[in-house]
Amino acid sequence: MSDNISREDINSVIDFLSQDKIPKLTNGPKVIEFEQKWSEWLGVKHSLMVNSGTAANELTMLALKYLYGEGEVIVPPLTWVSDVNSVIFAGLKPVFVDINMTNLSFDIGKLKEAINENTRAIFLTHVLGLNGLTDELIQLCEDNNILLIEDVCESHGATFKGKKVGSKGFASNFSFYFAHHMSTIEGGVVCTNDDRFYQVCRALRSHGMVRECTDENFKQEVATANPDCHPNFTFLYPAHNFRSTEINAVIGLSQLPNLDINNSKRVDNFNYFMSKLDSNKYVTTLDLEGQCNYAFIIIMKEGSIEKRDLIEQTLTSNSIEFRRGLSGGGNQTLQPFVRANYTINQDDFPNVNHIHNYSWYVGNFPTLEKEKIDFLVEVLNNI
């Protein structure tokens, strides 16, 4: 990523802090304004700004557990580590299902096999700007009364049938980390159309404190059930402090008007890159419908450790920065924190293991020159 915090963004913070009377700096009017504008941009009823995408994941899983009880959450092995950790921290059980090689989302056949009476949710990751939704996946959730949670931390602006991903599921999570489509330095947001889930999330964002909720009927319901606690200090569930600052919101408000314009440049860059890549050496059959990619996806067609090492040496010698394994470094089931706690049969994960060993991503940002994309493609195609 380059230039993801602009001088205009910094000036907006300076102006905000230069007011005669220093405003509230935590979870104040600017946070509320950003939440409203983000909901309008995404097309959802509620958005809740938090201090990171990781916090958004954890908040969502905690609310899910408190509202719907213990059970299993199906997660992809190709995702950021906080998706898996948030399930574990909430006291839910992660169930891993391999990916497909078309949109890097779930293998739908294996997903069907993993569903049982204990399944509470499917936690979908839209990988690196690709749309992971399909009609079959959505119907599968509806038929089995399973909640669909969308991780959109890497895919702001990607679409499914003309609508932004993150607006279809029961809830969705976004990250505003520096390298993503837009940044508030650190930050995130939880989105939903469900009123009760939203109220619980409001409490969970601030230590489980009910006074943070905006639904008076909900607050009265809790107060009636807990007469020994003052309404100002009633803590509904064990929770954390996931509140955002006003400064993060000010940067978000500065960045949001430019998001669609910048995303269109990323889309053009990615399509251009894929059109030039050698289809004999690399996977060029990804489903790009609705993509909004902030990184170039490079996947070897055939696995070869010798060739892989040569590619990495060549990229490094040409000063091209890369990350192996795509989202989260590849197969999360190979990580120590998973292997120490769960029995995993790696024969169940051929696709994600190929990604783990034979893929990379390289940054794609709005100011990236076409000459550099041409150079990257030339280097890759000539290896």
Side-chain angles (χ1 to χ4, degrees):
M1 177 55 67
S2 177
D3 302 326
N4 210 19
I5 302 291
S6 69
R7 170 47 57 183
E8 181 182 0
D9 300 331
I10 298 300
N11 288 341
S12 68
V13 173
I14 293 172
D15 291 343
F16 173 72
L17 294 175
S18 298
Q19 300 176 67
D20 291 337
K21 183 178 180 180
I22 298 298
K24 180 181 179 182
L25 292 179
T26 300
N27 210 36
K30 290 298 181 182
V31 168
I32 295 172
E33 183 182 353
F34 178 79
E35 290 170 341
Q36 292 170 341
K37 291 186 180 300
W38 183 263
S39 292
E40 292 170 4
W41 177 82
L42 182 60
V44 295
K45 189 175 181 180
H46 304 295
S47 293
L48 194 74
M49 191 176 190
V50 292
N51 54 25
S52 70
T54 294
N57 289 340
E58 293 188 21
L59 189 62
T60 296
M61 287 298 124
L62 279 174
L64 184 73
K65 190 271 188 74
Y66 293 144
L67 286 171
Y68 296 96
E70 296 181 353
E72 299 177 351
V73 176
I74 299 177
V75 295
L78 183 65
T79 190
W80 186 247
V81 62
S82 66
D83 286 38
V84 182
N85 280 339
S86 65
V87 175
I88 297 172
F89 290 157
L92 300 163
K93 180 183 177 181
V95 174
F96 296 92
V97 170
D98 200 15
I99 62 170
N100 68 70
M101 295 297 285
T102 302
N103 64 7
L104 306 184
S105 181
F106 289 110
D107 179 318
I108 197 71
K110 292 184 176 180
L111 185 62
K112 291 178 180 178
E113 295 174 358
I115 292 173
N116 59 54
E117 67 275 8
N118 296 317
T119 305
R120 296 290 174 266
I122 293 173
F123 200 175
L124 167 71
T125 296
H126 298 281
V127 175
L128 289 176
L130 300 179
N131 159 53
L133 290 170
T134 63
D135 287 329
E136 190 173 8
L137 173 60
I138 294 168
Q139 192 64 50
L140 185 66
C141 292
E142 293 177 356
D143 290 346
N144 291 276
N145 196 28
I146 293 172
L147 300 177
L148 175 62
I149 311 298
E150 298 181 71
D151 173 1
V152 202
C153 291
E154 301 175 344
S155 301
H156 312 45
T159 60
F160 171 66
K161 293 190 170 180
K163 293 188 176 181
K164 294 184 179 73
V165 300
S167 62
K168 184 64 179 178
F170 174 79
S172 61
N173 302 329
F174 290 79
S175 167
F176 304 129
Y177 176 65
F178 176 76
H180 292 164
H181 294 72
M182 61 170 277
S183 176
T184 60
I185 305 175
E186 290 280 2
V189 68
V190 178
C191 306
T192 187
N193 290 314
D194 187 89
D195 294 338
R196 191 170 186 85
F197 176 82
Y198 171 66
Q199 294 301 322
V200 169
C201 284
R202 288 194 65 88
L204 292 176
R205 178 173 64 175
S206 185
H207 309 284
M209 194 158 47
V210 178
R211 78 176 188 214
E212 294 293 316
C213 300
T214 56
D215 185 329
E216 294 302 324
N217 291 330
F218 180 82
K219 289 197 286 188
Q220 185 58 52
E221 175 187 328
V222 175
T224 301
N226 299 275
D228 294 332
C229 298
H230 192 281
N232 283 343
F233 291 104
T234 302
F235 300 93
L236 187 59
Y237 301 112
H240 304 278
N241 174 13
F242 289 144
R243 294 174 304 213
S244 179
T245 73
E246 291 285 89
I247 293 172
N248 298 111
V250 168
I251 296 175
L253 287 166
S254 177
Q255 291 228 336
L256 185 53
N258 299 315
L259 180 56
D260 290 337
I261 296 172
N262 287 334
N263 279 349
S264 67
K265 297 175 183 177
R266 290 186 178 90
V267 169
D268 290 343
N269 287 347
F270 189 75
N271 287 336
Y272 181 79
F273 168 78
M274 293 299 289
S275 71
K276 300 289 185 179
L277 201 60
D278 189 339
S279 60
N280 294 314
K281 298 178 179 179
Y282 305 101
V283 173
T284 58
T285 52
L286 294 173
D287 182 2
L288 302 186
E289 182 69 29
Q291 70 88 6
C292 187
N293 201 292
Y294 82 92
F296 299 121
I297 297 174
I298 306 162
I299 305 172
M300 294 173 60
K301 289 192 75 170
E302 303 294 335
S304 164
I305 297 294
E306 181 180 4
K307 183 68 176 292
R308 181 197 72 189
D309 292 347
L310 176 61
I311 290 173
E312 292 187 352
Q313 292 165 9
T314 305
L315 290 172
T316 300
S317 66
N318 282 279
S319 300
I320 298 172
E321 189 175 1
F322 61 88
R323 299 287 186 270
R324 187 200 295 175
L326 304 184
S327 297
N331 186 357
Q332 290 293 334
T333 69
L334 292 171
Q335 295 292 343
F337 81 98
V338 173
R339 297 172 72 173
N341 295 286
Y342 303 96
T343 301
I344 302 294
N345 180 1
Q346 288 302 324
D347 291 340
D348 294 334
F349 303 100
N351 289 336
V352 78
N353 277 324
H354 183 85
I355 295 294
H356 185 88
N357 291 302
Y358 306 113
S359 72
W360 306 267
Y361 67 88
V362 174
N364 167 27
F365 45 91
T367 57
L368 182 63
E369 303 92 335
K370 280 290 194 296
E371 292 79 10
K372 289 187 177 180
I373 302 175
D374 287 333
F375 178 68
L376 172 61
V377 170
E378 181 181 359
V379 168
L380 288 169
N381 288 347
N382 288 332
I383 299 173

